[in-house]
Every structure is written in C-alpha cells, then in structure tokens.
Amino acid sequence: MQPGDRHRWMDALRGAAVLLVALWHAFEIPYPTVPAGIEWASNFLSVYRIPLLMFLSGLLLDQSLSKPAPAYVEGKLRRIAWPLLVWSAVLVLVAWPTARPSDVWFWLGDGAHLWYLGVLLACYAVGYLTKWIHPVVVLVGGLIAMESVHSDIAFVNNTLWFGLYFFAGATMSRWLERWLRLGPIIPVLCLVAASAWGAYSATVNGYVPIAHWRPFALSILGVVGVVWFATRLRRARWLEWVGQRSIVFYVAHVPFIWITALLIAGVVPAAVTYAVALVVTLAGCFLLARYLNGTLLFEFPRIRMRRGAVDGREPVPGEAAPLR
C-alpha cells in the first residue's frame, strides 16, 4: 500500500470490530453471569474481534513509517498515549472496580479495556525496527517470545500475544494486493478453518485459548479470510464512519456501560439492563464521535515543529512551518 491510500473496507472492518467489543461488554459488565448463548457467541468471536483490530493497524504500519521519525513518534503520543492517559483517569473518576492509580501498569491499560491502547503503543515502538528489517522477522521473534515468556504482568502477556496480529498485518501488507487477487476457494477455506476452531474452542474451552502458535495460526487464517471478503462487499457507510472514529467508541464505551449498570443493575430485570446499557452506550459514543472527536478527550493538539525537524532539512529563513 502506498502512503496516503485509504481503503474504505478497513474503516468498515474496524467499525464492526469495535462495535462487537462494545456489544460484548454491554452484556459482561452489568452482571457477572451472562446468558450462555451470548457468552458462547462472544467466545467464538474472540477469534476475530481484537485480532482484526490489531491486524488492521499492522497493515498500515508502512504508511506510518513513511513519515519522518519525529512525526511518527508525535502521532502515536497524540493519538494513542494521550487518550490512554485521559481515559485511564476517567476510569478512576467513575470508580471502575479495577482502577489502581498507584500501579504504573494501570496507566498502560491493565485492569481495563484500555490495555489495547497500551499494546498498540508497544507494537508501534517495536514496529519502528521494520524500517530496517522485514516485519516477518519481528513476527517470528514474537512467536518464539510468546511461547517462552510467561509473565505475571498482563501488559507483557497481552503484548506478546496480540502483538503477533499487529506484525502479521505488517507482514501481510507486503503481499496484500496479491492475496486480494486470489479466487474465493482459499479465503473460504481459511474462514471455515478459523470458524470451526472458534466454535470448538467456545464449546470446550470457553474463551479461545491464547499463548500458543496453533490458536494464533487458526485465528489469523480467519482474519485474512475476513479481509478478502470485506473488499468485495457493498459499502457500509455507517460502519466506515464508526471505523474512522473507532478510538472514540473504544475508549468511551466502558464508562458508559459502567455508569448505566451502577444506576439500574439490580433495579430492573437483567434483559432490560443489557438493552439500556447498549442503547445508552451507542448513543453516548455517537454523540462524542459526532461533536467531540479530535478534541482533548481523544487527541492531544498537534505540535508545530520547525520544518528541519519534520523533513530533515533546515528551514528557509522567513518560511512558515508547515501545517500538517
């Protein structure tokens, strides 16, 4: 993919994956016991949900690396580290049960849904190495580390596991166009294999096991199969809209669900709590995405740099710094 390319199907897939995460949390957070059928479906979808989000980010790694180093670092700090910090503080304010402000790992997302942003930061930090080495080298090294390292720190384990999908995406970006030119047989087989594994594991194990190369291999087959089909489906503009604002939906949905649960859980039937939590969450996230996307809640203001710091040359006297 060339820098500046925008694939609408990526936005749609990102939007779908974020909404699936929110849907699951709307059932999981208000009550400790989730209806068996819904829990099974969520466990099945764990083959696709977060792996797809990480894979899509990895697909765009080369595009990010096409920027100068200062712009690359600035972008990740503004758009990932900043909302991670802000919404970790929000969790403290709403008395999220596992909020531990004295624990440094909490500020990297441990103990909450924000772990995804912490892992994404780590992946982009390591991903800078792919300016000089092929991402498949990092992927293989990650597989070895994932099989070998068993930490008591959730951030480490999550990075080793879900980081594999990020670097699988970065690797696949080099061959994406070739993959998308294939006929349907191989993508269908990939989806069948991944879905069969997800169904089996959801039935036998519950949540799909991690920290092993076989579940990763089967899951990644499903992810690339979904990508193949997504490029051939009709446009879903509303999903694209959500995907373009996925950071808003991702970071904000849990506080909305939690506050709703605090107010009505135990007062009304569980089914009503689930429905109200989902409606309030989607409506709240929509309003934030519609009116506050790009504000300090989700993005730190752009830092103006001297042109020499951005493109590697000294600024011309009297020349204005570029607006990027």
Side-chain angles (χ1 to χ4, degrees), residues 81-122:
W82 177 254
L84 171 59
L85 176 64
V86 169
W87 287 87
S88 294
V90 169
L91 291 177
V92 174
L93 292 175
V94 302
W96 177 251
T98 55
R100 303 180 305 274
S102 61
D103 183 356
V104 65
W105 296 110
F106 168 74
W107 298 98
L108 284 171
D110 274 9
H113 65 301
L114 300 175
W115 64 265
Y116 166 73
L117 296 185
V119 169
L120 206 54
L121 270 180

Side-chain angles (χ1 to χ4, degrees), residues 7 13 56 294 316 319:
H7 292 278
L13 282 181
L56 291 173
V316 177
E319 184 181 32

Side-chain angles (χ1 to χ4, degrees), residues 207-231:
Y207 191 81
V208 174
I210 63 175
H212 197 279
W213 70 267
R214 291 188 186 90
F216 166 73
L218 288 165
S219 179
I220 208 67
L221 287 177
V223 168
V224 298
V226 168
V227 164
W228 189 92
F229 280 97
T231 63

Side-chain angles (χ1 to χ4, degrees), residues 19 22-23 26 241-242 248-249 252-257 260 274-292 298:
L19 290 178
L23 178 63
W241 188 89
V242 173
V248 177
F249 283 81
H253 77 274
V254 164
F256 276 117
I257 295 169
T260 305
Y274 296 141
V276 172
L278 186 59
V279 170
V280 168
T281 298
L282 293 180
C285 288
F286 169 80
L287 291 173
L288 289 177
R290 176 68 177 82
Y291 297 107
L292 295 177
F298 306 104

Side-chain angles (χ1 to χ4, degrees), residues 81-256:
W82 177 254
L84 171 59
L85 176 64
V86 169
W87 287 87
S88 294
V90 169
L91 291 177
V92 174
L93 292 175
V94 302
W96 177 251
T98 55
R100 303 180 305 274
S102 61
D103 183 356
V104 65
W105 296 110
F106 168 74
W107 298 98
L108 284 171
D110 274 9
H113 65 301
L114 300 175
W115 64 265
Y116 166 73
L117 296 185
V119 169
L120 206 54
L121 270 180
C123 288
Y124 277 117
V126 176
Y128 200 78
L129 296 175
T130 62
K131 286 180 73 75
W132 303 286
I133 61 175
H134 198 286
V136 75
V137 176
V138 183
L139 175 61
V140 172
L143 278 166
I144 295 171
M146 182 267 297
E147 293 273 5
S148 307
V149 177
H150 304 285
S151 174
D152 294 329
I153 301 170
F155 173 77
V156 174
N157 293 326
N158 284 333
T159 300
L160 289 174
W161 174 251
F162 290 102
L164 295 178
Y165 295 95
F166 181 92
F167 288 105
T171 300
M172 187 68 176
S173 69
R174 313 293 175 93
W175 305 314
L176 181 62
E177 298 304 324
R178 186 177 302 175
W179 168 253
L180 296 180
R181 287 196 297 267
L182 289 179
I185 295 178
I186 294 178
V188 167
L189 291 176
C190 288
L191 277 178
V192 168
S195 297
W197 157 245
Y200 169 81
S201 187
T203 303
V204 175
N205 304 311
Y207 191 81
V208 174
I210 63 175
H212 197 279
W213 70 267
R214 291 188 186 90
F216 166 73
L218 288 165
S219 179
I220 208 67
L221 287 177
V223 168
V224 298
V226 168
V227 164
W228 189 92
F229 280 97
T231 63
R232 288 161 170 79
L233 297 177
R234 289 183 59 183
R235 288 187 63 181
R237 295 177 186 274
W238 65 277
L239 275 181
E240 292 173 16
W241 188 89
V242 173
Q244 291 161 8
R245 297 155 180 83
S246 59
I247 185 67
V248 177
F249 283 81
Y250 190 88
V251 299
H253 77 274
V254 164
F256 276 117

